[in-house]
Amino acid sequence: MTDSRYPSLAHWGAFTAVVKDGRVVGCEPFHADAAPSPMLDSIAEMQHSPLRVQRPAVRRGWLAGNREREGDDYVEVEWDHALDLVAGELARVRAEHGPGGIFGGSYGWSSAGRVHHARSLIRRFLFLGGGCVDQVGNYSWGAAQFLLPHVIGTFSPVSGDVTDWDSVLANTRVIVAFGGIPTKNSQVTSGGAGLHNLPAWLARAQAAGIRLVVLSPTRADVPDGIAAEWIPIRPNTDTALMLAMAHTLLAEGRHDASFLASHCVGADTWADYLTGAADGQPKDAQWAAGICGVPAPTITALARAIVAQRSLLTAAWSLQRAQHGEQPYWALIGLAALAGQIGLPGGGFAFGHASLNGIGEPRRRVPGPEVPVPKNPAQLAIPAARIADMLLSPGQPYDFNGARHTYPDIKLIYWAGGNPFHHHQDQNRLRQAWTKPDTVIVHESWWTPLARRADIVLPATTSLERCDVGGSSRDPYVFAMHRAVAPQGQARNDFDIFAELARRAGFHEAYTAGRDEMGWCRHVYDGMRGGCAERGVTLPPFDEFWARGYAEVPAPDSPYVLFEDFRRDAQAHPLRTPSGKIELASEVVAGFGYADCPGHPVWLAPSEWLGAPVVDTWPLHLLTNQPRHRLHSQLDPAALSRSSKIQGCEPISMHPEDAAARGIADGDRVRVFNARGACLAGVRLDAGMLPGVVQMSTGAWSDPDGDLDRHGNPNTLTADIGTSRLTQGSSAQTALVQVEAAPNLDQNLGPNLDPNPNPNPNPTLDVAAPHRAWELPRISPAAA
């Protein structure tokens, strides 16, 4: 039988699925992509993985009223019975507790397709059904999302609205990258990518003679193959260095006083803090050197360099994923304002070059494809990173962005898309919180750590088992995603699952809007096409687009420069701040009275850092970065991700001096621990780590044994605290640990995940065998 080919899209790239005899046998990268991600090779393997959820399943203990959701077995049921159970629970909780008893959980990385975008679909379903408790913000850049509107009137620069690379190449002479620009992170983007151009842009920048300075605790944050200057800096101390650079500009009269006067407010207030007039402590380079470990002459030289030539200051998202994570972003904007280059070609500030594909990619500002989501009639939501707080503290007050709120009492969690047992901090605390609700319902394609902690598991199709339209606002392409293979087992797509539940609840027509899957594909594409037409961009009709497999948005007529109009005329193009200007000091934020986030950028020592008293007990700062071989926890069981493990555990990078002091050698298995828990890891010695700092990638599938995660999920160790009362973002990068040698436990970390499994991929597992990250739960087949 000849091979068949179907265009499709993943968050890590566009591709053509090659199908033979009903199975995906390969993925061919999109022809225009110069640097396709190797993660494409994992798609076929995961498509036919023995870990697929084959049929609807109900946890046996839930049927008996038991909330202990770990290690239980499951009973398979027919679809109608499963849907009746879900509909009945939703109706019961709504009747007894109102919408405040239902939490709609999702994290939007489940599909690059927008029709089957799980976060949009679950919110559409729950909102039309009467509302629920929603999430606002995200783990990736939640602190920035709620800080930046107070400072510059928008959070768009953190999500990709930055000066184009074309403008940078033509004008910039020095890029200072706080957190670096690791090209591995440019493999992925929400909504998918047709192009992976960051390596090429960086190579062109180097060829153009642009100086690149990377400030990071690890040399791995220097872009691959680029001759950049690496300045090692202690984690969580970038703010102190930025303040000292700002102090240098003020003290030496190198700041742009006219720009501060015409385009900023609060400069005098911040200057009093920087010079020490407000508190008696000048924030000079010598002061900062004692905090961040960067020599004072290096700090002053860097400050002088950014005003001597056109400079772009950029910060990774990771900087604001820390306690007081608002401060480095606010200080970076303040430093760029003092330099006076905001709104100039190739100058000013940017965020996210180190964090996502497509940042700075030249493109027209046009809408992308999306399913409309109605307003939540319940008007209830919590910050995304406060899930465990909500479940553990119902009825307790908390502060967020200037208002006082109360945590709801959640009785039912309905989750579709994402895996909180990967991305949430302090996993042992989350495990405790997860026992509180009466019921947890999950849509999943695989038996992930989340699925194995659910009461009702509904098998969801993968992207290759349905039709969709995908694309990202950071990429110039929109893609047709053709169904390539039949659904595995009894899997159904999220849209159809919610449609059947909506039928049971009496709002099927409102939910579907009278459209089936292809009707919605056409609708979201035509919506994007109409929005593009309003901006002078012509896209082909749907049928032509669908047959070709993609459409391309033409390149912009001229390079985009962030805040160019505002710089040219601040009166005619004001920012959406109270003053219409950049707020180096915010009266609004100051008025909130938050000691952990005052009204201008300041140095606030985190509770855990290499200068904290607890460093005597926990002497190593743990950084948790995004993995190179998977997207978050997606693809972890695939061969590419498995190949990076050491003795079956997630690697931990250590400086040779730190390892030698503990009697640890390269390749050893170690125990990484603090007061919150412990995990196993395999050591990778790296002289490019700052001594005193260790690093683990996130995403290893959770495999707990008491407080120990045997597989190496580093969020067992990270602190579940908000960045501040202002933004309540994730503080994952604020964590101290100790590392010690661990015995070679010789553990088998799961079954043989043969991508060509036998026809019965649900073997009966030995009850006495230890729970493994990649084993299936015990599943009893449905009664005949």
Side-chain angles (χ1 to χ4, degrees), residues 7 26 186 235 256 266 274 316 347 354 405 428 477 520 535 597 667 769:
S186 70
D256 190 332
L274 292 171
H405 303 272
N428 289 323
Y477 291 94
W520 272 105
R535 294 163 175 80
C597 190

Side-chain angles (χ1 to χ4, degrees), residues 132-211:
C132 67
V133 178
D134 192 19
Q135 299 161 281
V136 295
N138 56 56
Y139 287 82
S140 296
W141 35 270
Q145 181 171 352
F146 298 106
L147 167 74
L148 294 183
H150 293 294
V151 181
I152 55 175
T154 178
F155 64 78
S156 64
V158 78
S159 63
D161 183 26
V162 302
T163 296
D164 284 354
W165 274 107
D166 282 339
S167 180
V168 172
L169 292 177
N171 300 281
T172 309
R173 302 315 306 152
V174 59
I175 299 173
V176 180
F178 292 89
I181 307 182
T183 52
K184 69 176 178 61
N185 290 352
S186 70
Q187 292 186 82
V188 302
T189 195
S190 179
L195 305 176
H196 292 89
N197 283 341
L198 181 60
W201 288 119
L202 289 168
R204 290 175 63 186
Q206 180 170 277
I210 298 175
R211 177 188 177 194

